Amino acid sequence: MIPLNQRLKRVSNYIKGDYLADIGSDHAYLPIFAIENKLTKKAIAGEVIKGPFDASKRNVSEHQLSQHIDVRLGDGLTVIQDGDAITSITVCGMGGPLIAKIISDGANKLFNKPRLVLQSNIQSSAIRIKLTELNYCIIAEEIMEEKGHIYEIIVAEYCEKKSSMSQIELKFGPELVKDKNDLFNKKWQREKEALLKIKNNLNPKTHAKRLDEINHELDLINEVL
């Protein structure tokens, strides 16, 4: 059995159906774990760079799972082919804006309306904005900490009617803001302190626009804390 860090283990809880596409697969750890634990029947491990692609190939071969996991070289969702009946897509360990770009650029690859399990380390609001544009509704969210880093997991399903979220929900997460646990408060307290530091170093005359943005962000954070 392949060992998996807590972050990816949490992500694996949300894999749905028989065919997983893991984008930016990082040695194919998640697809290997998912197959070994019967969370799915087959998987694609997508890599955009040759080095990680070769490492993933090697890892899949060493675990004797080449019949179940197809390691493909390509940018984002381009690794998904027209005949692939993908049921879950995972994109993990990246910033929110990059994940949003991946699902936006690959929107034509969502033809099977797969579940999206997206795990970001910064700026998750970019993902939530993009999900509403793609007619995806958030069904679950988690916040977790590992090795000093705070991560958010967003799980979304295709919905027939376009969903909408308030400014607060887009920024903090519609599910996370309901709970506001200790980790949620820790993350946003940290964010607030970082913004105050930036604010104190800005010149009100030359950085008026940026100061307005920071003050708006601080108002939102104060509202939820």
Side-chain angles (χ1 to χ4, degrees):
M1 283 285 180
I2 195 163
L4 206 61
N5 62 32
Q6 282 306 310
R7 178 172 59 86
L8 291 179
K9 262 190 191 158
R10 294 274 190 97
V11 167
S12 75
N13 292 333
Y14 297 103
I15 292 169
K16 172 189 175 184
D18 292 342
Y19 202 169
L20 165 69
D22 184 41
I23 307 303
S25 198
D26 184 26
H27 294 75
Y29 291 136
L30 184 58
I32 292 168
F33 181 86
I35 298 289
E36 287 183 340
N37 288 275
K38 297 182 169 49
L39 303 176
T40 194
K41 290 182 178 172
K42 57 181 181 170
I44 295 163
E47 293 288 7
V48 70
I49 298 167
K50 187 75 166 63
F53 167 79
D54 291 337
S56 291
K57 274 265 199 204
R58 231 175 5 255
N59 224 3
V60 168
S61 178
E62 283 168 9
H63 284 80
Q64 300 178 323
L65 289 174
S66 299
Q67 296 295 312
H68 300 277
I69 300 170
D70 191 4
V71 183
R72 297 180 187 172
L73 188 64
D75 191 6
L77 302 190
T78 62
V79 296
I80 297 171
Q81 295 162 3
D82 289 348
D84 297 328
I86 300 295
T87 52
S88 291
I89 293 174
T90 49
V91 191
C92 304
M94 303 176 201
L98 179 54
I99 293 174
K101 185 178 188 304
I102 287 169
I103 60 173
S104 178
D105 290 352
N108 63 319
K109 300 293 187 175
L110 303 176
F111 48 81
N112 208 46
K113 297 172 183 170
R115 171 177 286 187
L116 303 178
V117 189
L118 312 169
Q119 179 271 301
S120 65
N121 37 29
I122 53 162
Q123 297 176 323
S124 301
S125 57
I127 297 171
R128 297 185 187 102
I129 291 165
K130 189 51 63 182
L131 287 173
T132 60
E133 290 171 10
L134 295 172
N135 271 47
Y136 267 80
C137 299
I138 293 171
I139 60 160
E141 290 181 303
E142 269 194 52
I143 188 166
M144 65 166 297
E145 186 172 26
E146 190 168 53
K147 295 180 180 173
H149 296 286
I150 295 175
Y151 302 96
E152 290 179 2
I153 300 167
I154 299 171
V155 187
E157 297 263 17
Y158 183 82
C159 44
E160 295 302 328
K161 282 172 74 177
K162 196 158 187 164
S163 64
S164 65
M165 281 183 261
S166 68
Q167 207 175 9
I168 292 278
E169 288 173 325
L170 286 170
K171 185 167 182 64
F172 302 96
E175 298 302 316
L176 296 177
V177 83
K178 285 177 191 172
D179 183 18
K180 293 188 202 173
N181 62 19
D182 289 346
L183 198 50
F184 177 94
N185 290 326
K186 179 179 176 179
K187 173 191 167 85
W188 290 107
Q189 192 61 46
R190 222 187 244 180
E191 191 78 13
K192 179 181 170 179
E193 286 162 13
L195 285 169
L196 285 169
K197 261 187 198 166
I198 296 167
K199 181 181 173 177
N200 292 336
N201 287 317
L202 291 179
N203 183 319
K205 287 180 182 172
T206 52
H207 301 106
K209 187 169 181 287
R210 181 64 183 127
L211 273 170
D212 283 347
E213 290 169 359
I214 288 174
N215 284 329
H216 178 61
E217 280 194 70
L218 287 168
D219 287 345
L220 289 175
I221 293 170
N222 287 328
E223 193 178 329
V224 297
L225 285 179

